[in-house]
Amino acid sequence: AMTGTIIFFLGLQQIGTVGTTAPENRFQISIAPNPADQYISISGITHPGRYDILDYYGKTVQSGNISGGDQIILLQSLPAGVYLFRVETSGGWTTGKVVVR
């Protein structure tokens, strides 16, 4: 679905169109506890897939496979900081923020 459109005109002639498309295959998850110490519990995953945890610079610092249903992911190897949690499954994808203490 088109969510934003910018149309460029030069005089009276249209020279280009730029738009953004809303993701159709995005789903919601719940991450708790957040902030976390040793683990996070993820709920809302309905299909098997893969997760990645990325640091501030976009580097993958932890990843693994997930099955549908609630998941527990251990974080003991991660230093304190703010991370991006990304999930991709056959049912779609989503991201969330995780704070590790």
Side-chain angles (χ1 to χ4, degrees):
M2 190 70 72
T3 58
T5 302
I6 301 171
I7 300 174
F8 297 96
F9 289 93
L10 180 61
L12 296 176
Q13 179 182 7
Q14 180 179 345
I15 59 171
T17 303
V18 176
T20 57
T21 304
E24 302 291 335
N25 59 346
R26 189 148 183 195
F27 59 90
Q28 296 290 324
I29 59 172
S30 175
I31 302 172
N34 201 0
D37 291 313
Q38 297 183 359
Y39 70 92
I40 52 175
S41 175
I42 309 296
S43 59
I45 299 171
T46 57
H47 296 83
R50 177 174 181 76
Y51 78 88
D52 295 296
I53 299 176
L54 293 84
D55 67 11
Y56 178 81
Y57 301 102
K59 178 183 173 192
T60 300
V61 293
Q62 185 173 327
S63 61
N65 295 320
I66 52 173
S67 57
D70 296 349
Q71 304 287 305
I72 299 287
I73 296 175
L74 301 177
L75 305 173
Q76 289 125 334
S77 63
L78 296 179
V82 178
Y83 297 89
L84 177 72
F85 184 80
R86 179 176 60 199
V87 177
E88 291 186 47
T89 72
S90 61
W93 62 276
T94 194
T95 59
K97 180 176 77 169
V98 176
V99 178
V100 177
R101 298 189 271 202

